Structures are given as structure tokens and as C-alpha cells.
Amino acid sequence: RTLSEISIVLGDLAAAGGYTVPEVLRAEEVVVDAQHPAVIEAEQILADQRVKLGRTRRAAPEVGRTERRITFVGFTALFIAIGYISARVGGMIPGDALSRVGSGQSVFFSRDPHLEALGFIWGPFPTMFQLPFIALRAFWLPFTSSGMAAIVVSALFMAGTLSQLLAWGVETGTKQWFRIVAVLLVAAQPLIWTHGGNGMSEACWLFFLVLATRHLARWIETDDTRSLVVVGSAIAAGYLTRYETAAVFAAVLPVVGLVTWNRSASQGVTPRSAMNR
């Protein structure tokens, strides 16, 4: 369209200058042979790209969006309520969760406020995620006195984990009733709602593991490099949450290497043949 507009403008300029632009007759048009090998190859490339694009975008972004929002908001409220009842009413909150809140307070309110006050015994991410809520303790003291900052963070990440599972079901084309039932069964597991409201680091860790697994499955199916980037980022974030993620990295690395080798071999390209070229 842009070339046509430029052609029209140039034709008008030529006509204004007194030059007659000859029109291309129908017989002078170049007819492309549909059976030409280059045309067939181009059509095959376009067909492959359409298939690949269709597999990459198996579900429209709008599909399941309402489900994910309801899941995230609803379970966040549920886990916060469970944590509030346990901490404020029952007085039961793990000591490790309170220790992380204390480390977060040192970042803002110690004699020497600095980020390194988070410490190095645990992974820094769970405590870092609590900092925005710890900074609000002047508005609501239970954020730190009762450990509610840790409870809110664990509730958000556990609800995010369930939302990730729901999104995974949408991407794979699972029926709505099935993926909803699956998420509800996962949420009913005692350790899920326990760690979703106790302020510990398991909720954050589980979120990053599910995120990495979901995108690893997507990469295996679609060969979308962006999904592999998400896998690496999620595993790195998981390591900064809990150091046990090193075992996850050790398990994922050979899977990625094996899938990459098989794909290269199916295309007639292997690392050894590439070196010989």
C-alpha cells in the first residue's frame, strides 16, 4: 500500500512536469508460475510458520483471563484470612517467618539501614518481597508485630501458583471444568493452604518452580526461545528463594540438552557436524 501511494505521488509529480507516465498493460505483467520450485518452497515456509505460530498461541490471551483473576484474588484473600486467624487469633506463626520479618525491619529501621541486613543464611527473595509491607508498619503495626508482612507475601505467591496452574490448563486446551477441579484439588492439599498462610518461603519457591515447569513444557512443544528464557529466570529466582533449587537446575539442564540435540539431529545438524563445516 505504501509503495502504491508513493507511485501515485510520483506519477502526479511527473504529470505536473509534463511527462506522461506509461501504464503497464495486462499483457506486460509478469506472471509467476505457481509450480516454480521457489514458489512452492516459499509457500511451505509460510505454512510451517503458520503452524508454529498456531502452536505458540494455542489459547488467546482472553481465554481464562477471568478465571485466573478470580482464582488469584479469591485465594489471596483466603490465605490471608487463614494466616490472620493463625497469627493474630491463635498466636501461631513459625519462628522462621518472624525472623525474616525481623531481618526486613533491619533494612529500614536499624541503626545502620542497608540492604545487606537481609542476611545470608536464607535466600534473600522472600524477605525482599516483604519490604514494601514492612515499610507500611507505621500505618498498621501487625505487619511486623504479628508477622502479617510475611503472611501477605506467602498468600500472594501461593495464589499466584494456583493461577499459574490454571493458565497452564488454558494453554494446553484443557476443558474449563477439568482445570478448575484440578486447581481446587491442589488448593485442598493441606500443605498448600498451610504454607499459603504461614509466612514461610515455600509459597514463593513453589511459584517459581511451577512457572519454570510450565514454560519448560511450552518450550518443548513450541521451541519458543522466550519460554526457555523464562525457565532460566524462574530457576534463578527460585535459587534466590531457596538454595535447594540447585537440584532443580541439575535436573532441567540435561532435559534441555537432550531436547536440543534431538531437534538438531532431526534437522540434520549436530554439534559435531557443525564443527566439521
Side-chain angles (χ1 to χ4, degrees):
R1 185 176 60 185
T2 303
L3 291 175
S4 299
E5 293 175 355
I6 294 174
S7 177
I8 293 173
V9 172
L10 293 177
D12 294 340
L13 291 175
Y19 180 78
T20 302
V21 180
E23 296 182 359
V24 179
L25 301 178
R26 183 74 178 178
E28 298 176 1
E29 295 180 355
V30 178
V31 179
V32 179
D33 185 6
Q35 300 301 320
H36 193 278
V39 176
I40 296 176
E41 182 179 1
E43 291 178 349
Q44 183 62 40
I45 293 174
L46 291 176
D48 293 342
Q49 290 296 327
R50 282 195 296 267
V51 172
K52 183 177 180 180
L53 185 61
R55 294 174 61 188
T56 304
R57 300 178 179 178
R58 289 164 291 175
E62 293 78 11
V63 177
R65 178 176 295 177
T66 302
E67 298 174 31
R68 296 196 298 271
R69 289 177 177 175
I70 294 175
T71 299
F72 180 76
V73 175
F75 279 106
T76 298
L78 176 62
F79 293 140
I80 290 177
I82 293 174
Y84 180 84
I85 294 173
S86 300
R88 295 280 292 164
V89 179
M92 297 181 297
I93 184 171
D96 288 352
L98 290 176
S99 297
R100 288 189 174 89
V101 174
S103 299
Q105 288 187 90
S106 301
V107 174
F108 292 119
F109 307 111
S110 64
R111 292 184 178 181
D112 182 22
H114 60 291
L115 190 60
E116 290 84 352
L118 291 175
F120 57 88
I121 298 177
W122 293 303
F125 267 16
T127 307
M128 288 182 62
F129 297 144
Q130 297 173 21
L131 294 182
F133 302 101
I134 292 174
L136 296 175
R137 76 170 190 171
F139 300 94
W140 195 47
L141 188 58
F143 270 133
T144 54
S145 63
S146 299
M148 286 302 298
I151 291 172
V152 171
V153 169
S154 64
L156 289 170
F157 275 94
M158 192 61 80
T161 300
L162 298 177
S163 180
Q164 284 291 318
L165 292 175
L166 195 62
W168 196 353
V170 172
E171 290 177 355
T172 54
T174 308
K175 293 183 179 180
Q176 183 181 35
W177 69 268
F178 187 88
R179 60 177 179 259
I180 291 177
V181 170
V183 169
L184 291 177
L185 289 176
V186 172
Q189 217 281 343
L191 289 178
I192 294 296
W193 53 262
T194 298
H195 288 290
N198 65 359
M200 297 286 283
S201 62
E202 279 78 4
C204 303
W205 191 44
L206 191 60
F207 172 82
F208 290 122
L209 293 184
V210 172
L211 180 64
T213 307
R214 171 192 167 195
H215 283 273
L216 180 63
R218 180 191 291 182
W219 174 74
I220 292 175
E221 182 178 353
T222 65
D223 194 20
D224 188 351
T225 309
R226 293 171 297 181
S227 296
L228 195 59
V229 172
V230 176
V231 173
S233 302
I235 293 176
Y239 180 79
L240 293 175
T241 301
R242 293 181 69 95
Y243 299 133
E244 297 94 323
T245 313
V248 178
F249 171 77
V252 171
L253 182 61
V255 173
V256 174
L258 181 62
V259 173
T260 302
W261 179 278
N262 289 336
R263 283 179 178 159
S264 300
S266 63
Q267 298 173 2
V269 178
T270 61
R272 182 174 297 177
S273 64
M275 293 175 60
N276 294 331
R277 289 184 177 180

